[in-house]
């Protein structure tokens, strides 16, 4: 099920890249704090997602994420509401 | 002479969003006037924040001829104008002997980054094949200090500190130690910054710490810092010399404390901040009971303000409830490497006039920032001593301690 959702994969791999760990070590149900992401890691991870998915993540949305699932849900909303080429790159 | 010399502040210069000189800047602070508005010098339509504290009243052409301007990035222009003002304000007449004993210590976080940004844009976007030959001397972070020394003929020790948001406090503190120890008989010291370029604003955007509206330090609904530009300069000289020549002494610079958090690149540590404040007090021979005002680092970010509050409570103990704490960044913005210099001017004049500037734009109290933050209105307050805090990204802290002239 994890494998079936490319957006989840993108988020997990962005987190993995920031923390320099294999993506399989990133648990979808973990909090960002549990994964060792501090504020600087979090903005770096969001930057990765903005670049890969061609989206813009507002500051307010960025501040509200606590868990990996929050990131997936928030990014999905942005991807679904963005112009077609952005949605394509995420699917 | 016995013991270290006392050091007097006898000249001030400032240029920023709320004033073209120290007098205008102080008048605006006393009114609680905020200099934050939509950024005009950069097209900010593609940036998540649109507001900054630009020194709009600064007219470079009124201060420099076109030939001079070729050599000067805006940050160096601001440094020179504030230095000229401070020296004139001191009433000093420089002799060749004194010029050789005069230090120029400046702070700048970014140097001539707008020159660099424009040069890179030409190279990468417009396909130019070369950079302007004056790029290197315009960009170097010591350009401010170098131009001050050259224009005024000051041939003593000169250098530049670049410690992000603490740059100016590190410069002023070291210049103070130099004069106090007798290694220099005069110092022109402060900082300058001109952070407005597209690429630099994009870099701040990515950090997600810039407020989309205004700067509300210590308020519950604060949304981040607002970048500012400007310069502040102080003339420091031995107290006895200043008295002997009948100089106006605004205040004494009495102590300097530094520390490193050794904690995190961007998250502040209250322990490191507290240590720098304690060291500044100790260096000045001051007890917390004597300190009535703290000019806070007070950036208005979620992280700084509670951490700084904890540090002040830690150092001041029960006295924390009776010390006035304000952030003038609410008015002149966060001028990075110039911040400590503008705040040193504010702190000096607060002691001189017996009035503390407010924290402007204050809306509602945050329980985590439960100090007397002098909300929105300046306050008449005669006090013996004051601190001015600067805490940089990278965890480098620098705190200055000032003593009022009264009773000297």
């Amino acid at each position: 099920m994890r494998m079936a959702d490319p957006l989840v994969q993108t988020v997990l791999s962005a987190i993995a890249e920031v923390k320099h760990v294999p993506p399989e070590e990133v648990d979808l149900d973990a909090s960002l704090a549990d994964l060792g992401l501090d504020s600087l890691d979090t903005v770096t991870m969001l930057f990765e997602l903005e670049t890969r998915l061609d989206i813009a993540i507002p500051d307010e949305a960025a501040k509200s994420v606590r868990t990996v699932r929050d990131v997936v849900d928030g990014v999905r909303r942005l991807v679904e509401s963005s112009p077609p080429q952005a949605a394509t790159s995420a699917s | 002479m016995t013991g270290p010399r006392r050091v007097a502040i006898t000249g001030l210069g400032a240029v920023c969003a709320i004033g073209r000189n120290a007098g205008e800047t102080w008048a605006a602070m006393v009114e609680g006037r905020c200099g934050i508005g939509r950024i005009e010098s950069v097209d900010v339509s593609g940036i998540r924040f649109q507001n900054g504290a630009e020194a709009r009243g600064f007219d470079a052409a009124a201060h420099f001829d076109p030939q001079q301007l070729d050599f000067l990035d805006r940050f160096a222009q601001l440094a020179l104008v504030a230095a000229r003002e401070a020296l004139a304000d001191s009433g000093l007449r420089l002799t060749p002997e004194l010029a050789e004993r005069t230090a120029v210590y400046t702070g700048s976080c970014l140097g001539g980054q707008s020159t660099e940004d424009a040069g890179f844009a030409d190279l990468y976007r417009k396909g130019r094949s070369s950079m302007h030959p004056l790029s290197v001397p315009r960009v170097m972070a010591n350009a401010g200090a170098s131009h001050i020394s050259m224009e005024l003929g000051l041939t003593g020790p000169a250098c530049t500190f670049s410690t992000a948001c603490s740059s100016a406090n590190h410069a002023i503190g070291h210049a103070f130690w130099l004069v106090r120890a007798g290694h220099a008989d005069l110092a022109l010291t402060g900082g300058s910054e001109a952070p407005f370029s597209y690429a630099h604003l994009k870099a701040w955007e990515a950090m997600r710490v810039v407020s989309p509206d205004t700067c509300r330090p210590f308020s519950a609904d604060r949304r981040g810092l607002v970048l500012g530009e400007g310069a502040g300069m102080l003339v420091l000289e031995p107290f006895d010399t200043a008295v002997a020549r009948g100089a106006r002494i605004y205040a004494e610079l009495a102590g300097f404390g530094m520390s490193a958090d050794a904690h995190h690149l961007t998250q502040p540590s209250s322990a490191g901040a507290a240590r720098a404040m304690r060291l500044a007090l100790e260096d000045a021979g001051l007890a917390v009971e004597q300190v009535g005002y703290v000019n806070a680092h007070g950036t208005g970010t979620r992280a700084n303000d509670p951490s700084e509050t904890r540090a002040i409570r830690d150092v001041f103990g029960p006295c924390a409830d009776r010390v006035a704490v304000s952030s003038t960044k609410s008015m002149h913005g966060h001028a990075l490497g110039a911040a400590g210099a503008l705040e040193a001017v504010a702190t000096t004049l607060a002691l001189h006039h017996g009035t503390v500037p407010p924290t402007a734009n204050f809306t509602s109290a945050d329980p985590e920032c439960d100090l007397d933050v002098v909300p929105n209105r300046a306050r008449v307050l005669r006090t013996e001593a004051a601190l001015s805090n600067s805490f940089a990204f990278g965890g480098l802290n620098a705190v200055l301690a000032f003593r009022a002239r009264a009773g000297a």
Side-chain angles (χ1 to χ4, degrees), chain B residues 63-118:
Chain B
H63 296 284
F64 304 102
D65 65 41
Q67 176 86 65
Q68 285 176 297
L69 284 175
D70 287 344
F71 292 93
L72 295 165
D73 182 89
R74 188 171 170 88
F75 98 99
Q77 297 167 22
L78 294 165
L80 255 175
V81 167
R84 287 174 183 170
E85 183 194 354
L87 187 62
D89 186 49
S90 74
L92 270 161
R93 265 185 314 199
L94 287 167
T95 60
E97 295 73 28
L98 183 56
E100 206 173 293
R101 301 275 304 157
T102 299
V104 180
Y105 277 26
T106 62
S108 175
C109 171
L110 304 167
Q113 64 80 29
S114 57
T115 292
E116 197 163 61
D117 182 60

Side-chain angles (χ1 to χ4, degrees), chain B residues 294-333:
Chain B
V294 176
N295 186 299
H297 186 53
T299 55
T301 60
R302 297 309 307 176
N304 175 81
D305 299 359
S307 174
E308 186 167 11
T309 300
R310 286 193 299 278
I312 291 170
R313 287 212 166 273
D314 180 16
V315 172
F316 281 76
C319 292
D321 289 316
R322 47 147 288 268
V323 67
V325 178
S326 72
S327 168
T328 50
K329 287 187 177 77
S330 57
M331 296 176 274
H332 53 67

Side-chain angles (χ1 to χ4, degrees), chain B residues 242-265:
Chain B
V243 171
R245 72 178 181 89
R248 173 190 42 206
I249 296 172
Y250 286 108
E252 265 184 78
L253 195 50
F256 176 43
M258 293 182 282
S259 69
D261 288 346
H263 167 64
H264 188 274
L265 259 183

Side-chain angles (χ1 to χ4, degrees), chain B residues 80 104 144-155 158:
Chain B
L80 255 175
V104 180
S146 296
H147 283 288
I148 292 167
S149 77
M150 286 190 289
E151 179 175 303
L152 303 175
L154 307 174
T155 53

Side-chain angles (χ1 to χ4, degrees), chain B residues 7 47 156 168 171 214 238 254 263 270 338 342 371 395:
Chain B
V7 176
I47 301 177
T214 194
H263 167 64
S270 59
L342 290 168
L371 296 165

Side-chain angles (χ1 to χ4, degrees), chain B residues 69-322:
Chain B
L69 284 175
D70 287 344
F71 292 93
L72 295 165
D73 182 89
R74 188 171 170 88
F75 98 99
Q77 297 167 22
L78 294 165
L80 255 175
V81 167
R84 287 174 183 170
E85 183 194 354
L87 187 62
D89 186 49
S90 74
L92 270 161
R93 265 185 314 199
L94 287 167
T95 60
E97 295 73 28
L98 183 56
E100 206 173 293
R101 301 275 304 157
T102 299
V104 180
Y105 277 26
T106 62
S108 175
C109 171
L110 304 167
Q113 64 80 29
S114 57
T115 292
E116 197 163 61
D117 182 60
F120 289 171
D122 282 352
L123 208 61
Y124 296 135
R125 287 173 79 173
K126 296 184 187 161
R128 276 178 81 144
S129 58
S130 56
M131 289 280 283
H132 193 283
L134 292 175
S135 301
V136 169
R138 281 173 61 116
V139 169
M140 61 191 190
N142 60 300
S146 296
H147 283 288
I148 292 167
S149 77
M150 286 190 289
E151 179 175 303
L152 303 175
L154 307 174
T155 53
C159 61
T160 296
F161 290 75
S162 191
T163 49
C165 316
S166 294
S167 301
N169 265 16
H170 275 118
I172 296 166
H174 280 90
F176 157 67
W177 277 352
L178 206 67
V179 172
R180 187 173 70 175
H183 298 304
D185 292 329
L186 188 69
L188 247 175
T189 182
S192 76
E193 205 75 83
F196 294 104
S197 76
Y198 183 69
H200 188 248
L201 296 181
K202 288 301 279 184
W204 277 100
E205 175 191 62
M207 290 211 71
R208 299 180 184 273
V209 292
V210 179
S211 168
D213 50 15
T214 194
C215 176
R216 305 182 189 286
F218 305 112
S219 286
D221 60 350
R222 67 188 180 281
R223 298 176 76 182
L225 61 85
V226 172
L227 293 167
E229 66 176 350
M233 291 287 162
L234 285 72
V235 171
L236 307 181
E237 60 181 298
F239 195 88
D240 294 346
T241 314
V243 171
R245 72 178 181 89
R248 173 190 42 206
I249 296 172
Y250 286 108
E252 265 184 78
L253 195 50
F256 176 43
M258 293 182 282
S259 69
D261 288 346
H263 167 64
H264 188 274
L265 259 183
T266 55
Q267 289 295 314
S269 134
S270 59
R275 209 145 39 81
M277 281 190 267
R278 279 200 182 91
L279 288 166
L281 290 166
E282 191 180 305
D283 190 49
L286 285 166
V288 289
E289 289 79 8
Q290 294 170 278
V291 178
Y293 174 57
V294 176
N295 186 299
H297 186 53
T299 55
T301 60
R302 297 309 307 176
N304 175 81
D305 299 359
S307 174
E308 186 167 11
T309 300
R310 286 193 299 278
I312 291 170
R313 287 212 166 273
D314 180 16
V315 172
F316 281 76
C319 292
D321 289 316
R322 47 147 288 268

